[in-house]
Amino acid sequence: MSASPFVLPPAPDTLEVGTDRLRLRPFVETDLDAMAAYRGDAEVCLFLPFEPQTPADIRGRIGHLFGGTNLEGERGGVVLVIEHVSDGQVIGDLVLFHLDPEAGAAEIGWVVSPAASGRGLATEAVRALVDTAFRVYGLRRLTARIDPENVRSVALAERVGMRREAHFVENEWFKGRWSDELRFALLARDWTPTS
């Protein structure tokens, strides 16, 4: 097997992404209470790999990524809060992580407040993250892992153009049950950039 020809461009020093209604930016300490409002909701956490979180839990889990824009390294990743431009409210967060630099691939994930549902904000935010992953970070492949019972996230992955590549049946003991896992993916060459 030969070495991969893929080379990542340097990570940006700062990162902020704007859409018509949203601003995606690295999270800071002052976002913890707003994040805990939705990450502390048991319904929101039903399909997430953590139980409801307090500000201290969030700091412990992803605090090393405060303000970070670098995907590389053992603990690398990028967490961006989703801020609604009209009122400055943090309505969710996005993650780009599990970088495979030789394959130019990473995983994406999202957590969005139920208060923001039904207005297309999650779709707008995830499209902006996908666009950033391909355009800014130079990635060539993105994946997402979703429990098939999480119908909103499945629909969101499909809305942004991700294709279902695999369905693993009862592959993991998760929150008291054997859960299935869907794997979605998207290649840069199949992506239609946002305007």
Side-chain angles (χ1 to χ4, degrees):
M1 181 186 262
S2 62
S4 167
F6 189 81
V7 178
L8 284 172
D13 291 332
T14 61
L15 179 64
E16 187 171 302
V17 180
T19 71
D20 290 342
R21 301 180 292 169
L22 305 171
R23 180 169 79 123
L24 310 182
R25 58 169 175 76
F27 82 105
V28 293
E29 184 83 20
T30 55
D31 295 323
L32 286 171
D33 287 335
M35 292 173 76
Y38 58 86
R39 282 177 165 249
D41 183 324
E43 284 294 309
V44 170
C45 296
L46 191 60
F47 301 109
L48 297 173
F50 49 80
E51 296 301 326
Q53 295 181 314
T54 66
D57 296 330
I58 297 167
R59 186 182 299 105
R61 184 172 178 91
I62 57 176
H64 64 283
L65 298 174
F66 276 135
T69 62
N70 193 350
L71 278 172
E72 295 190 73
E74 188 174 312
R75 299 187 72 198
V78 177
V79 176
L80 300 173
V81 295
I82 308 167
E83 184 180 284
H84 198 272
V85 179
S86 67
D87 58 12
Q89 293 294 311
V90 172
I91 61 167
D93 57 88
L94 307 163
V95 64
L96 188 59
F97 65 123
H98 289 160
L99 174 69
D100 180 343
E102 290 185 11
E107 185 174 338
I108 62 171
W110 49 82
V111 184
V112 180
S113 170
S117 67
R119 296 180 281 165
L121 297 171
T123 302
E124 188 174 322
V126 173
R127 280 191 60 80
L129 176 65
V130 169
D131 196 60
T132 299
F134 291 143
R135 186 177 43 78
V136 175
Y137 287 96
L139 296 173
R140 56 171 222 78
R141 179 178 163 84
L142 292 175
T143 60
R145 296 181 298 153
I146 304 172
D147 187 309
E149 291 186 24
N150 187 350
V151 294
R152 287 184 160 190
S153 280
V154 169
L156 177 53
E158 291 170 344
R159 272 196 308 277
V160 300
M162 298 187 88
R163 79 182 153 281
R164 188 180 304 191
E165 290 192 331
H167 184 155
F168 299 100
V169 178
E170 294 186 9
N171 72 312
E172 182 177 353
W173 183 254
F174 182 74
K175 297 191 175 181
R177 66 183 175 89
W178 286 108
S179 70
D180 289 10
E181 179 181 293
L182 299 177
R183 294 270 176 106
F184 286 86
L186 181 63
L187 294 173
R189 71 173 181 238
D190 297 328
W191 174 244
T192 302
T194 56
S195 54

